[in-house]
Amino acid sequence: MLNAVQQEELDQALQEPPEDGGIWNGPKVAQWIAKRTGRQKVHPQRGWDYLQRLNYSGQRPRPSHAKGDAEAQAAFKKTCRNELSN
């Protein structure tokens, strides 16, 4: 569906957040492909296939709580690790 140049463009696009925010997924990539190729509709599975082909992982670190106490979290981490090693 995509030639080598278009795949490179998709790979570059995946480095940035999608236009509507969130993370890239099969339907969003399918919409991107439809726009680039001029096709009327691209099945969401094709978007997922390209994500797999480009080894894209949408994993992100968990957000930290805005009101979290950094010192208490650090103390908990130190305590937790000590208990696991015993």
Side-chain angles (χ1 to χ4, degrees):
M1 206 172 267
L2 295 178
N3 60 31
V5 173
Q6 291 169 327
Q7 281 190 34
E8 185 62 34
E9 290 175 3
L10 175 58
D11 194 28
Q12 293 298 319
L14 292 175
Q15 304 305 315
E16 301 292 325
E19 293 175 0
D20 64 352
I23 61 171
W24 286 100
N25 57 28
K28 289 180 184 181
V29 173
Q31 290 174 351
W32 186 94
I33 292 170
K35 284 182 185 178
R36 292 293 178 161
T37 61
R39 293 177 184 251
Q40 194 167 15
K41 180 165 173 60
V42 176
H43 196 278
Q45 181 62 41
R46 295 293 75 81
W48 178 250
D49 292 342
Y50 275 100
L51 286 173
Q52 295 290 313
R53 187 175 297 168
L54 295 171
N55 295 320
Y56 177 78
S57 173
Q59 296 177 353
R60 300 286 185 264
R62 284 182 168 230
S64 58
H65 196 282
K67 296 181 182 178
D69 182 4
E71 290 179 23
Q73 291 172 358
F76 176 78
K77 287 180 184 177
K78 289 179 184 176
T79 306
C80 184
R81 286 189 186 126
N82 290 339
E83 290 177 7
L84 292 175
S85 63
N86 291 335

